[in-house]
Amino acid sequence: MLFVAANSYCLSKTGQSLFTQFTTKKGAGDQSLREDVSQALDKGQPIEQVIESVIEDVEDIYHEKKSS
């Protein structure tokens, strides 16, 4: 019953089940920008920190695409 409740919570917050969260490799850019900003806002992060985080994600995606 505890797993069902935790899975439901995870689905509502991330759109993925607990199983998916722990069994798939997460790479740069897996979440949408809107989700990232929303989560940062929920955590109380200042806008400067959010922007820095987004820039890092963009750089990671850029370098991944460039090297492939």
Side-chain angles (χ1 to χ4, degrees), residues 3-27 29-32 35 39:
F3 177 78
V4 173
N7 192 51
S8 295
Y9 178 78
C10 190
L11 277 169
S12 70
K13 289 294 184 181
T14 67
Q16 296 180 346
S17 69
L18 278 176
F19 181 77
T20 303
Q21 289 284 329
F22 290 108
T23 59
T24 58
K25 182 178 178 185
K26 185 175 181 178
D30 282 350
Q31 290 185 322
S32 73
E35 289 172 338
Q39 289 177 2

Side-chain angles (χ1 to χ4, degrees), residues 1-3 10 13 17-18 26 33 35 37 41 44 49-50 57 61 65 68:
M1 190 153 185
L2 181 61
F3 177 78
C10 190
K13 289 294 184 181
S17 69
L18 278 176
K26 185 175 181 178
L33 177 60
E35 289 172 338
V37 172
L41 184 61
Q49 189 175 357
V50 175
D57 289 344
I61 294 168
K65 293 293 183 182
S68 60

